[in-house]
Amino acid sequence: RSVEERILSFLRTPYSGMYVPVGRVAGDTDSQLWTVVFNKEAKRTPLVLVHGFASGSALWCLNLDHLAKDERPIYALDLLG
C-alpha cells in the first residue's frame, strides 16, 4: 500500500481510495476490492480500469491525469489475489 501511495503521489489530479465490498469470494469472510477513484461526482458514464495478471491500480499511473481530464468518474480497482 505504501508503494502505491508513493507512485500515486506524482498525480496532479485529486483522487480518493475506498474499499468496495464484493461479498464472499473465498473463505468465510467478505471480500473487498481496493479502488482508486477520480471525479466521483461527475455525471458522465464511468470508466472502470481493470488491470491484468500480477498488477494493481498503480499500473495506470501514467494515464490517470490524462483520463481524468475527460470529466467522468474513473474507478481503478485492484483484483483479489
Side-chain angles (χ1 to χ4, degrees), residues 8 22 27-28 34-35 41 46 50 53 61 63 65:
L8 295 177
V22 292
D28 294 331
W34 175 249
T35 305
E41 302 302 322
V50 182
F53 179 71
C61 185
N63 308 99
D65 279 327

Side-chain angles (χ1 to χ4, degrees), residues 2 4 9 19 26 28 36-37 42 56-58 61-62 65-66 70 74 79 81:
S2 64
E4 178 186 75
S9 72
Y19 285 99
D28 294 331
V36 178
V37 183
S57 58
C61 185
L62 296 176
D65 279 327
H66 182 73
D70 198 23
I74 298 172
L79 297 176

Side-chain angles (χ1 to χ4, degrees), residues 27-66:
D28 294 331
T29 59
D30 288 341
S31 298
Q32 299 178 338
L33 297 180
W34 175 249
T35 305
V36 178
V37 183
F38 297 80
N39 304 328
K40 186 175 183 178
E41 302 302 322
K43 302 297 182 202
R44 296 183 64 199
T45 303
L47 175 63
V48 179
L49 303 173
V50 182
H51 63 77
F53 179 71
S55 190
S57 58
L59 165 75
W60 307 104
C61 185
L62 296 176
N63 308 99
L64 289 170
D65 279 327
H66 182 73

